[in-house]
Amino acid sequence: MKITLEFDGIEEQEDARTALDGYKWKLAVWDIDQLLRSTTKYGKSIINHDAEASSEEFETADKLREEIRDILESYGLKLD
């Protein structure tokens, strides 16, 4: 399959960069999700990776992971 994207001139330079950086955005969100996952699955603190997460940190990480997925779903996107 071949896809062609066209952007005209300097005015659309930012749109072109956004289109080209889509995969980088996915990787960045994946990394954030994995950081939060290390708290929800392994109990690691986000602030100090050598320490155990507090119950508040665990609940916050769990809620943030849920919110990330809800936001992505609202845009028709999947992280996995």
Side-chain angles (χ1 to χ4, degrees):
M1 176 175 24
K2 184 177 184 179
I3 296 174
T4 303
L5 299 173
E6 290 187 29
F7 297 95
D8 296 320
I10 300 299
E11 308 83 39
E12 296 182 0
Q13 185 174 3
E14 186 65 29
D15 293 336
R17 178 56 32 211
T18 298
L20 294 171
D21 285 346
Y23 191 68
K24 290 179 186 178
W25 279 96
K26 181 177 182 174
L27 291 175
V29 173
W30 173 264
D31 287 346
I32 293 167
D33 181 69
Q34 292 306 296
L35 177 65
L36 296 169
R37 180 177 180 266
S38 71
T39 298
T40 59
K41 185 168 184 174
Y42 304 112
K44 291 185 175 184
S45 172
I46 294 171
I47 306 300
N48 179 358
H49 298 291
D50 296 327
E52 188 174 320
S54 67
S55 61
E56 293 85 8
E57 206 172 4
F58 178 87
E59 290 174 21
T60 301
D62 191 46
K63 182 64 177 166
L64 285 171
R65 288 189 80 210
E66 186 178 310
E67 289 295 324
I68 288 170
R69 281 171 171 65
D70 288 347
I71 291 167
L72 291 173
E73 186 178 316
S74 75
Y75 286 99
L77 301 171
K78 290 187 176 192
L79 194 53
D80 303 359

